[in-house]
Structure formats: structure tokens, C-alpha cells
Amino acid sequence: MILDNRGLEPPQPMMRTLAALETLGENEVLTIINDRRPMFLYEQLEELGYRQRTEPQDDGSFKIEIFR
């Protein structure tokens, strides 16, 4: 599942991401694309038992893969 959060103002990207995680299956990966590095999201993910991998993109955005 890919969620493009570019162009949204905080806290919309985090709210959309957390809502999408509720539908994520056990072995699925949620990929989000944000304009900014989601510093506050990382804390939430850790508390919920998720791991993430963040890659800066050439256009200045960030691609974050979220998984268990």
C-alpha cells in the first residue's frame, strides 16, 4: 500500500498514516511519501510495535516503509 502525503499540512500526514496502519495486514508494508521527515511519527510507530525504513528522495521528500 502506498500513501502519498505530499502537500498536506501537519498533522494530516500523521493522521492519514496512523489510520492506514489500522488496515495493514500482518506481513504487509505501508509506504508513505512525505514532504518532511516525520519525526513525531517515529515515536508513535515505536510505541505501536512498528519498524520503519526512511529514504530521502531526490525531490526533497521522504519515502518511509513501515512494517512489523
Side-chain angles (χ1 to χ4, degrees):
M1 176 187 310
I2 297 176
L3 188 62
D4 189 344
N5 290 324
R6 291 176 289 187
L8 299 175
E9 290 297 318
Q12 287 297 327
M14 186 156 120
M15 292 171 56
R16 290 182 77 213
T17 300
L18 293 174
L21 286 175
E22 291 179 8
T23 66
L24 197 65
E26 185 62 32
N27 294 316
E28 292 181 317
V29 175
L30 172 63
T31 300
I32 63 170
I33 303 170
N34 283 16
D35 290 322
R36 305 168 189 82
R37 187 179 297 268
M39 301 309 292
F40 296 112
L41 177 63
Y42 296 142
E43 285 179 34
Q44 291 289 320
L45 294 175
E46 188 173 322
E47 287 177 19
L48 295 170
Y50 289 97
R51 297 183 309 162
Q52 56 79 27
R53 185 173 30 248
T54 300
E55 294 179 25
Q57 303 298 293
D58 291 338
D59 66 357
S61 65
F62 292 87
K63 176 178 143 186
I64 300 97
E65 295 175 323
I66 303 169
F67 49 94
R68 289 230 181 243

